[in-house]
Amino acid sequence: NAGVTQTPKFQVLKTGQSMTLQCAQDMNHEYMSWYRQDPGMGLRLIHYSVGAGITDQGEVPNGYNVSRSTTEDFPLRLLSAAPSQTSVYFCASSYSFGTDTQYFGPGTRLTVL
Amino acid sequence: SQQGEEDPQALSIQEGENATMNCSYKTSINNLQWYRQNSGRGLVHLILIRSNEREKHSGRLRVTLDTSKKSSSLLITASRAADTASYFCATDPYGQNFVFGPGTRLSVLP
């Protein structure tokens, strides 16, 4: 199993550009989530999904969109990039919501100029 | 302070020594998890402890949970240079999505 994969690993955007961060898992997990990690702040939840077709907002959803058309994929879209979105983004999945181990992808380091 | 907050922020020890990190939280929880993050990598799950459990072991790791004090500790015994990483606790306030603390940076010197 590949586990949780994320692409790209690095990305530089200009302010106002849009892009999609890809996340896929091959463990048949129902629960998937996106976090951003900033220095000294731990991980903050952006959006999450408890199954295909179901998404919800986390702690810091503004400026991001998600969709979950399949169990395997959970892309994160930046609509109009801003310097405040410079961060490391992690995708995670688990078998179910709440009580299970989360498996994390390797992360995407995004810089917005 | 945040829902989950690790203490100390940074810890430096010699190889072979024990490392203890603490996590404090504010609300009732169902579960508490500890994760490790090596530099530039994703998080790796270490241990999950449920609110009705007081202690769990996994290899050289020992986790305790005191719900009356709203605190947990992670003990790494006989530390190795490979244990150098950041360690995060994650709590599920009121059984909702997990919230991560800012982490403890552990350096194990050879």
Side-chain angles (χ1 to χ4, degrees):
Chain A
N1 287 351
V4 180
T5 57
Q6 291 182 237
T7 57
K9 291 188 177 179
F10 301 94
Q11 183 69 51
V12 179
L13 293 178
K14 294 181 180 178
T15 296
Q17 288 185 317
S18 63
M19 78 159 295
T20 299
L21 307 185
Q22 300 292 344
C23 173
Q25 52 89 12
D26 60 359
M27 296 173 282
N28 202 30
H29 285 170
E30 290 296 325
Y31 182 78
M32 296 185 74
S33 54
W34 276 102
Y35 294 88
R36 60 177 289 173
Q37 184 176 33
D38 301 295
M41 297 189 72
L43 279 75
R44 291 183 292 169
L45 183 65
I46 304 172
H47 285 285
Y48 66 97
S49 169
V50 297
I54 306 170
T55 64
D56 206 345
Q57 296 181 351
E59 180 186 356
V60 289
N62 292 343
Y64 308 95
N65 271 359
V66 293
S67 60
R68 184 94 179 271
S69 56
T70 67
T71 299
E72 294 77 19
D73 300 299
F74 191 43
L76 177 72
R77 281 181 286 278
L78 279 71
L79 308 174
S80 177
S84 61
Q85 293 179 304
T86 293
S87 188
V88 181
Y89 292 84
F90 289 99
C91 178
S93 73
S94 63
Y95 183 72
S96 64
F97 170 80
T99 61
D100 285 318
T101 298
Q102 291 199 79
Y103 294 85
F104 282 81
T108 294
R109 185 174 295 275
L110 175 68
T111 301
V112 183
L113 303 175
Chain B
S1 65
Q2 301 181 32
Q3 156 66 2
E5 195 159 345
E6 296 88 349
D7 173 66
Q9 291 185 332
L11 178 62
S12 186
I13 60 174
Q14 295 293 131
E15 212 166 17
E17 294 180 338
N18 295 342
T20 299
M21 290 157 266
N22 302 296
C23 172
S24 59
Y25 56 92
K26 294 181 180 178
T27 68
S28 66
I29 61 171
N30 292 342
N31 304 279
L32 184 145
Q33 302 189 25
W34 284 92
Y35 287 82
R36 183 187 75 232
Q37 183 181 35
N38 291 92
S39 180
R41 308 291 291 274
L43 278 72
V44 174
H45 180 261
L46 296 176
I47 283 186
L48 179 151
I49 186 165
R50 305 193 188 282
S51 60
N52 61 354
E53 297 174 314
R54 292 296 168 258
E55 187 171 312
K56 285 191 82 169
H57 296 257
S58 176
R60 293 182 296 112
L61 307 180
R62 172 178 170 255
V63 168
T64 62
L65 178 63
D66 186 335
T67 53
S68 67
K69 295 182 179 179
K70 292 186 170 59
S71 68
S72 172
S73 68
L74 170 66
L75 168 67
I76 304 174
T77 60
S79 62
R80 306 165 182 168
D83 295 326
T84 294
S86 291
Y87 292 82
F88 297 88
C89 72
T91 56
D92 58 347
Y94 304 113
Q96 299 302 308
N97 284 297
F98 277 97
V99 177
F100 287 80
T104 292
R105 293 188 311 278
L106 173 66
S107 297
V108 181
L109 306 175

Short mmCIF file of all heavy atoms in Angstrom, two decimals, chain A residues 50-81:
data_model
loop_
_atom_site.label_atom_id
_atom_site.label_comp_id
_atom_site.label_asym_id
_atom_site.label_seq_id
_atom_site.Cartn_x
_atom_site.Cartn_y
_atom_site.Cartn_z
N VAL A 50 -16.16 12.88 6.06
CA VAL A 50 -16.44 11.61 6.72
C VAL A 50 -16.87 10.54 5.72
O VAL A 50 -17.22 9.42 6.12
CB VAL A 50 -17.51 11.77 7.82
CG1 VAL A 50 -16.99 12.71 8.91
CG2 VAL A 50 -18.82 12.27 7.26
N GLY A 51 -16.83 10.87 4.44
CA GLY A 51 -17.16 9.89 3.41
C GLY A 51 -17.37 10.59 2.08
O GLY A 51 -17.48 11.83 2.02
N ALA A 52 -17.43 9.81 1.02
CA ALA A 52 -17.62 10.39 -0.32
C ALA A 52 -18.89 11.23 -0.35
O ALA A 52 -19.94 10.80 0.14
CB ALA A 52 -17.67 9.28 -1.36
N GLY A 53 -18.76 12.43 -0.88
CA GLY A 53 -19.89 13.34 -1.00
C GLY A 53 -20.18 14.17 0.22
O GLY A 53 -21.09 15.02 0.20
N ILE A 54 -19.40 13.98 1.30
CA ILE A 54 -19.67 14.69 2.56
C ILE A 54 -18.40 15.42 2.99
O ILE A 54 -17.36 14.79 3.21
CB ILE A 54 -20.09 13.72 3.67
CG1 ILE A 54 -21.27 12.86 3.23
CG2 ILE A 54 -20.42 14.50 4.94
CD1 ILE A 54 -21.59 11.73 4.19
N THR A 55 -18.48 16.73 3.09
CA THR A 55 -17.36 17.52 3.58
C THR A 55 -17.85 18.53 4.60
O THR A 55 -19.04 18.87 4.63
CB THR A 55 -16.65 18.27 2.43
OG1 THR A 55 -17.55 19.23 1.86
CG2 THR A 55 -16.15 17.32 1.36
N ASP A 56 -16.94 19.00 5.42
CA ASP A 56 -17.31 20.00 6.42
C ASP A 56 -16.09 20.85 6.74
O ASP A 56 -14.94 20.46 6.43
CB ASP A 56 -17.84 19.34 7.69
CG ASP A 56 -18.77 20.26 8.45
OD1 ASP A 56 -18.80 21.48 8.17
OD2 ASP A 56 -19.49 19.76 9.35
N GLN A 57 -16.36 22.00 7.34
CA GLN A 57 -15.28 22.94 7.65
C GLN A 57 -14.62 22.61 8.96
O GLN A 57 -15.26 22.13 9.89
CB GLN A 57 -15.86 24.36 7.71
CG GLN A 57 -16.41 24.84 6.39
CD GLN A 57 -16.96 26.25 6.48
OE1 GLN A 57 -17.08 26.81 7.57
NE2 GLN A 57 -17.29 26.84 5.34
N GLY A 58 -13.32 22.91 9.01
CA GLY A 58 -12.58 22.78 10.25
C GLY A 58 -12.38 24.13 10.89
O GLY A 58 -13.23 25.02 10.79
N GLU A 59 -11.24 24.29 11.51
CA GLU A 59 -10.94 25.52 12.27
C GLU A 59 -10.63 26.71 11.39
O GLU A 59 -10.99 27.84 11.69
CB GLU A 59 -9.76 25.23 13.21
CG GLU A 59 -9.32 26.39 14.07
CD GLU A 59 -8.05 26.07 14.86
OE1 GLU A 59 -7.57 24.92 14.79
OE2 GLU A 59 -7.53 26.98 15.53
N VAL A 60 -9.93 26.48 10.25
CA VAL A 60 -9.47 27.58 9.40
C VAL A 60 -9.83 27.35 7.94
O VAL A 60 -8.96 27.17 7.09
CB VAL A 60 -7.94 27.80 9.57
CG1 VAL A 60 -7.61 28.39 10.92
CG2 VAL A 60 -7.17 26.48 9.38
N PRO A 61 -11.11 27.37 7.57
CA PRO A 61 -11.52 27.00 6.21
C PRO A 61 -11.46 28.12 5.18
O PRO A 61 -11.51 27.84 3.97
CB PRO A 61 -12.98 26.58 6.42
CG PRO A 61 -13.44 27.46 7.55
CD PRO A 61 -12.24 27.62 8.47
N ASN A 62 -11.36 29.37 5.62
CA ASN A 62 -11.47 30.48 4.68
C ASN A 62 -10.36 30.47 3.65
O ASN A 62 -9.18 30.37 3.97
CB ASN A 62 -11.47 31.81 5.44
CG ASN A 62 -12.73 31.99 6.26
OD1 ASN A 62 -13.73 31.30 6.04
ND2 ASN A 62 -12.70 32.92 7.19
N GLY A 63 -10.76 30.61 2.38
CA GLY A 63 -9.80 30.63 1.28
C GLY A 63 -9.53 29.27 0.67
O GLY A 63 -8.74 29.17 -0.27
N TYR A 64 -10.18 28.24 1.19
CA TYR A 64 -9.98 26.88 0.72
C TYR A 64 -11.31 26.21 0.39
O TYR A 64 -12.29 26.43 1.09
CB TYR A 64 -9.28 26.03 1.78
CG TYR A 64 -8.01 26.60 2.35
CD1 TYR A 64 -8.04 27.33 3.54
CD2 TYR A 64 -6.78 26.40 1.73
CE1 TYR A 64 -6.88 27.84 4.09
CE2 TYR A 64 -5.61 26.91 2.28
CZ TYR A 64 -5.68 27.63 3.46
OH TYR A 64 -4.52 28.14 4.00
N ASN A 65 -11.29 25.37 -0.64
CA ASN A 65 -12.44 24.53 -0.97
C ASN A 65 -12.01 23.08 -1.06
O ASN A 65 -10.86 22.79 -1.42
CB ASN A 65 -13.04 24.95 -2.33
CG ASN A 65 -14.09 26.01 -2.19
OD1 ASN A 65 -14.41 26.45 -1.09
ND2 ASN A 65 -14.63 26.44 -3.31
N VAL A 66 -12.93 22.18 -0.77
CA VAL A 66 -12.66 20.76 -0.93
C VAL A 66 -13.87 20.09 -1.57
O VAL A 66 -14.97 20.63 -1.58
CB VAL A 66 -12.36 20.06 0.41
CG1 VAL A 66 -11.05 20.52 1.01
CG2 VAL A 66 -13.51 20.28 1.40
N SER A 67 -13.62 18.90 -2.08
CA SER A 67 -14.69 18.04 -2.58
C SER A 67 -14.25 16.60 -2.35
O SER A 67 -13.06 16.32 -2.21
CB SER A 67 -14.97 18.30 -4.06
OG SER A 67 -13.80 18.05 -4.82
N ARG A 68 -15.20 15.69 -2.30
CA ARG A 68 -14.87 14.28 -2.09
C ARG A 68 -15.80 13.45 -2.99
O ARG A 68 -16.85 13.00 -2.59
CB ARG A 68 -15.09 13.91 -0.62
CG ARG A 68 -14.69 12.49 -0.26
CD ARG A 68 -13.31 12.40 0.25
NE ARG A 68 -12.93 11.04 0.61
CZ ARG A 68 -13.11 10.49 1.81
NH1 ARG A 68 -13.72 11.18 2.76
NH2 ARG A 68 -12.71 9.27 2.04
N SER A 69 -15.37 13.29 -4.22
CA SER A 69 -16.20 12.55 -5.17
C SER A 69 -15.95 11.05 -5.08
O SER A 69 -16.81 10.24 -5.48
CB SER A 69 -15.95 13.04 -6.61
OG SER A 69 -14.57 12.93 -6.92
N THR A 70 -14.79 10.64 -4.57
CA THR A 70 -14.48 9.23 -4.39
C THR A 70 -13.95 9.01 -2.98
O THR A 70 -13.50 9.96 -2.32
CB THR A 70 -13.43 8.72 -5.39
OG1 THR A 70 -12.18 9.36 -5.10
CG2 THR A 70 -13.84 9.02 -6.83
N THR A 71 -13.93 7.78 -2.53
CA THR A 71 -13.36 7.47 -1.21
C THR A 71 -11.86 7.78 -1.19
O THR A 71 -11.32 8.19 -0.18
CB THR A 71 -13.58 5.99 -0.87
OG1 THR A 71 -14.99 5.74 -0.82
CG2 THR A 71 -12.97 5.62 0.47
N GLU A 72 -11.19 7.59 -2.35
CA GLU A 72 -9.74 7.65 -2.38
C GLU A 72 -9.17 9.07 -2.40
O GLU A 72 -8.09 9.32 -1.89
CB GLU A 72 -9.21 6.91 -3.61
CG GLU A 72 -9.45 5.41 -3.61
CD GLU A 72 -10.87 5.05 -3.97
OE1 GLU A 72 -11.59 5.88 -4.57
OE2 GLU A 72 -11.28 3.92 -3.63
N ASP A 73 -9.87 10.01 -3.01
CA ASP A 73 -9.28 11.32 -3.30
C ASP A 73 -9.94 12.45 -2.53
O ASP A 73 -11.17 12.47 -2.38
CB ASP A 73 -9.38 11.61 -4.81
CG ASP A 73 -8.66 10.58 -5.63
OD1 ASP A 73 -7.44 10.45 -5.46
OD2 ASP A 73 -9.32 9.89 -6.44
N PHE A 74 -9.12 13.39 -2.10
CA PHE A 74 -9.64 14.53 -1.33
C PHE A 74 -8.79 15.76 -1.66
O PHE A 74 -7.90 16.15 -0.91
CB PHE A 74 -9.58 14.20 0.17
CG PHE A 74 -10.32 15.18 1.05
CD1 PHE A 74 -11.56 15.67 0.70
CD2 PHE A 74 -9.77 15.59 2.26
CE1 PHE A 74 -12.25 16.53 1.53
CE2 PHE A 74 -10.45 16.46 3.10
CZ PHE A 74 -11.69 16.93 2.73
N PRO A 75 -9.04 16.39 -2.80
CA PRO A 75 -8.23 17.55 -3.20
C PRO A 75 -8.60 18.82 -2.43
O PRO A 75 -9.76 19.02 -2.06
CB PRO A 75 -8.57 17.70 -4.69
CG PRO A 75 -9.93 17.10 -4.83
CD PRO A 75 -10.01 15.99 -3.82
N LEU A 76 -7.59 19.65 -2.23
CA LEU A 76 -7.77 20.94 -1.55
C LEU A 76 -7.47 22.05 -2.56
O LEU A 76 -6.40 22.08 -3.15
CB LEU A 76 -6.80 21.06 -0.37
CG LEU A 76 -6.82 22.38 0.40
CD1 LEU A 76 -8.10 22.50 1.24
CD2 LEU A 76 -5.59 22.52 1.30
N ARG A 77 -8.43 22.92 -2.74
CA ARG A 77 -8.28 24.01 -3.71
C ARG A 77 -8.08 25.35 -3.02
O ARG A 77 -8.85 25.71 -2.12
CB ARG A 77 -9.50 24.08 -4.62
CG ARG A 77 -9.50 23.06 -5.73
CD ARG A 77 -10.73 23.19 -6.62
NE ARG A 77 -11.91 22.67 -5.95
CZ ARG A 77 -12.24 21.39 -5.90
NH1 ARG A 77 -11.48 20.49 -6.48
NH2 ARG A 77 -13.33 21.00 -5.27
N LEU A 78 -7.04 26.05 -3.45
CA LEU A 78 -6.84 27.43 -3.03
C LEU A 78 -7.43 28.31 -4.12
O LEU A 78 -7.02 28.25 -5.27
CB LEU A 78 -5.36 27.75 -2.86
CG LEU A 78 -4.72 27.30 -1.54
CD1 LEU A 78 -4.59 25.80 -1.49
CD2 LEU A 78 -3.37 27.98 -1.36
N LEU A 79 -8.38 29.12 -3.76
CA LEU A 79 -9.15 29.85 -4.74
C LEU A 79 -8.39 31.06 -5.28
O LEU A 79 -8.36 31.32 -6.48
CB LEU A 79 -10.47 30.30 -4.12
CG LEU A 79 -11.26 29.18 -3.44
CD1 LEU A 79 -12.48 29.74 -2.71
CD2 LEU A 79 -11.66 28.12 -4.45
N SER A 80 -7.78 31.82 -4.39
CA SER A 80 -7.01 33.00 -4.76
C SER A 80 -5.92 33.14 -3.71
O SER A 80 -6.17 33.68 -2.63
CB SER A 80 -7.91 34.25 -4.80
OG SER A 80 -7.14 35.41 -5.09
N ALA A 81 -4.74 32.63 -4.03
CA ALA A 81 -3.70 32.49 -3.02
C ALA A 81 -3.29 33.84 -2.41
O ALA A 81 -3.20 34.85 -3.12
CB ALA A 81 -2.48 31.81 -3.62
#
